[in-house]
Each structure stands twice: as C-alpha cells, then as structure tokens.
Amino acid sequence: ATRRFARVTELHWSTKAGAEFVGTLYWPIDYVSVKRYPMTIQSHGVNTTQFSPSGFSTTGYAAQPLAGSGVMVLQLGQCVRQCDFQKLSWLQPFQESVEGAIDHLDNLGVIDRAKIGVQGYSVSGGQVLYLLSHSRYPIAAATVADCAYCSYMEYLIRAPVFWSEEPVAKEVFGGVSVNASAATWLERTLGFQLERVPGFQLDRITAPLQLSSNGEPPWSNVLSEWEFYAGLLLQEKPVELVYLPEALHNIVKPWERFTSQQGAVDWYRFWLQGYERKDPVTDAEETPKTLAAQYARWKKLRDLRDANAANRSTNPSS
C-alpha cells in the first residue's frame, strides 16, 4: 500500500554482428517520454517469467530501487539467435550485447548514453572487466560483485579440486591442469590472446570501479579482486574495494544486503545523477558521520577520474 513498483517489460535487441538478445527493462517510475534517462545494465542472465525486484541476485543487484530513483535498469539476458560463442570466446559476446543494447535504447530515445553504468557478478564480473578494458563505448561507472574466473591470479588461488569439479570452471577453463602455468591458462581461456586479459589492460579502464568480495568459500576470496584493485590503484584510477568477510555468494543477511544493494544504489546515483543521500539508515547502523565519509571517499575518486580525463585530452597517446 505504501510502495510503487517500476514497470518491467521484455526487451529484444540485435548486435552489429546480427546476434539477438533478450532482457528485461525496468522503467523509471513516473517515466516521461521526452526525457533521456541514465541507465544501469545488470549482467548475468534473466528469467523473463520470474518476479525479480532486485534482478538476478541479491549481491549488488538493486533494479527496483534504482528505477524508483529515476535510473533505467536493463537486466541483461541470454543470446537467443546467431551467437558464435566459440569464435568470440566467452568475453566478447557480452561486450557486443551491451553495446547493442545501448545503441538500441539510444535509438529509441529513452537513455542518455553518456550516463551508463554496468554491474557484474560472479562469472559475469570477468565479462564486465573485459568490457571496461576493451569497449570504446563510454561507461560512467561500474561495479563488480564477488567476481569469479577473472584472472590468472585467481586461477592459482582456487583449489584444484574446485576447478576440476565445478561445472562452470570446466566450461570456461576446461578444468585445471597439472601444468598451472600462465600459458596453460591463456590457452584454455583466451586462446593465447594476451590482449584479451582484462588484468593486463587496466590502463584502458576509465570508469570509476567498485569491486566487492564476499567471504563464502570456495566461491570468493578478497585476493581474487586484488589484482584489479591494486593495479588500478597504482595507476591512480578511481577504484574502491568492499569486503564482506562472512557474506554468502548470494547475500542473505539484512545488514550485508544493505551494504551490497544500498551501496550499489548510492554508487550509481552518485556517478550517473550526481546525487548524494543525506539521511542515514539507522536500522543498518549507519550514522551521519559514516554516510558523509562514503561521499568524501567518492569525491576523491571523482577528482581522480577528472584528472585522468584531463590527462588523456592533453596527452592522447598516454
């Protein structure tokens, strides 16, 4: 009686290569047809018949709250026709689907393509990192929650039993090898194409990035995110790392859900709308001081983003 839900519709679009995708679009409440809206793209798949107020998961997904705040949300779905995944690896189809969705919604006149956020989770976190380091489309902000299968460092961290038994690991990596060398990893995941590895292309990332890691073994380890966090930090790029040491891969506990989901809403609203929340949520043990500290951190990241942009404009080859 006291809440309004955003309208959700099924969306179909095509890539430049002709592949067709399906997803669900969460329209901003009080949508106005003459206005272009910022948009957050949530990755990992979709069930178009399921009621999903957050999106695919409770870890970092916050579709209805974002739509209620004036941000359009696309829950990215699966390819439905003409997808050559073997040819393009498991990373490039994601990039093409995101770019196709942006083009499609831009042509419809409903989004501001200069204000796009992209959210990754688990295995799709690696796809988002690939997008950020390889796409020429401007991404205004990104989050990667509890990323899996992201890097060679993580390949070494995971237990060999996990790699050999976990179904997705078999599909993506072909299982673990006795020879756990970088060359073996490159061959199985990226066909020896070093330029496809996001961790080796961090200089290309311009979007402010928030990484988060949960503590449920064997799914995640803060070290799995460290390669990207430390690499971007050393390059003075806008990056933040959030660690929830007791959280499950799909977060359940209310305080942890608040940190992950409200944190995502705050992050995207800050970067896409220039909005800062003023009222702390006392039930989540938030105080005016901790809330102010959050935005003080992000303003410093914004300064880094602007400094990097200024450097690129004066030194195009840097």
Side-chain angles (χ1 to χ4, degrees), residues 222-243:
V222 70
L223 292 178
S224 299
E225 321 287 340
W226 193 260
E227 177 178 324
F228 305 99
Y229 173 66
L232 291 169
L233 198 66
L234 287 171
Q235 296 183 35
E236 297 184 336
K237 299 288 185 73
V239 62
E240 179 172 80
L241 176 61
V242 177
Y243 183 43

Side-chain angles (χ1 to χ4, degrees), residues 16 41 91-92 94-100 102-103 113 116 118 127-140 195-196 198 201 203-207:
K16 293 175 181 178
I41 299 174
L91 298 171
Q92 195 172 339
F94 176 81
Q95 175 185 335
E96 295 193 355
S97 68
V98 168
E99 293 175 350
I102 293 172
D103 289 339
R113 65 184 301 143
I116 303 296
V118 184
Q127 294 173 314
V128 168
L129 290 166
Y130 180 86
L131 170 78
L132 296 179
S133 57
H134 288 77
S135 177
R136 294 182 179 273
Y137 283 45
I139 303 299
E195 67 274 9
R196 287 187 176 182
Q201 310 294 336
D203 58 303
R204 299 180 181 178
I205 295 180
T206 60

Side-chain angles (χ1 to χ4, degrees), residues 53-103:
S54 299
F56 182 85
S57 171
T58 53
T59 301
Y61 291 77
Q64 283 287 350
L66 281 167
S69 302
V71 178
M72 187 165 283
V73 178
L74 173 63
Q75 181 63 55
L76 200 66
Q78 65 276 15
C79 182
V80 293
R81 195 168 75 88
Q82 293 186 5
C83 292
D84 191 351
F85 284 88
Q86 293 301 317
K87 178 181 178 182
L88 297 175
S89 173
W90 64 292
L91 298 171
Q92 195 172 339
F94 176 81
Q95 175 185 335
E96 295 193 355
S97 68
V98 168
E99 293 175 350
I102 293 172
D103 289 339

Side-chain angles (χ1 to χ4, degrees), residues 57-60 121 145-147 212-222 242-261:
S57 171
T58 53
T59 301
Y121 159 73
D146 219 25
C147 184
S212 64
S213 179
N214 302 347
E216 178 192 17
W219 279 102
S220 185
N221 187 304
V222 70
V242 177
Y243 183 43
L244 297 173
E246 298 180 1
L248 302 178
H249 191 50
N250 289 291
I251 294 176
V252 176
K253 294 180 180 178
W255 182 86
E256 293 166 344
R257 283 188 60 172
F258 172 82
T259 302
S260 180
Q261 295 179 287

Side-chain angles (χ1 to χ4, degrees), residues 287-309:
T287 68
K289 183 177 180 180
T290 59
L291 186 59
Q294 168 178 285
Y295 289 106
R297 291 196 313 273
W298 295 354
K299 288 175 182 176
K300 291 180 180 179
L301 296 184
R302 187 172 59 194
D303 291 341
L304 285 177
R305 179 203 64 181
D306 295 344
N308 277 282

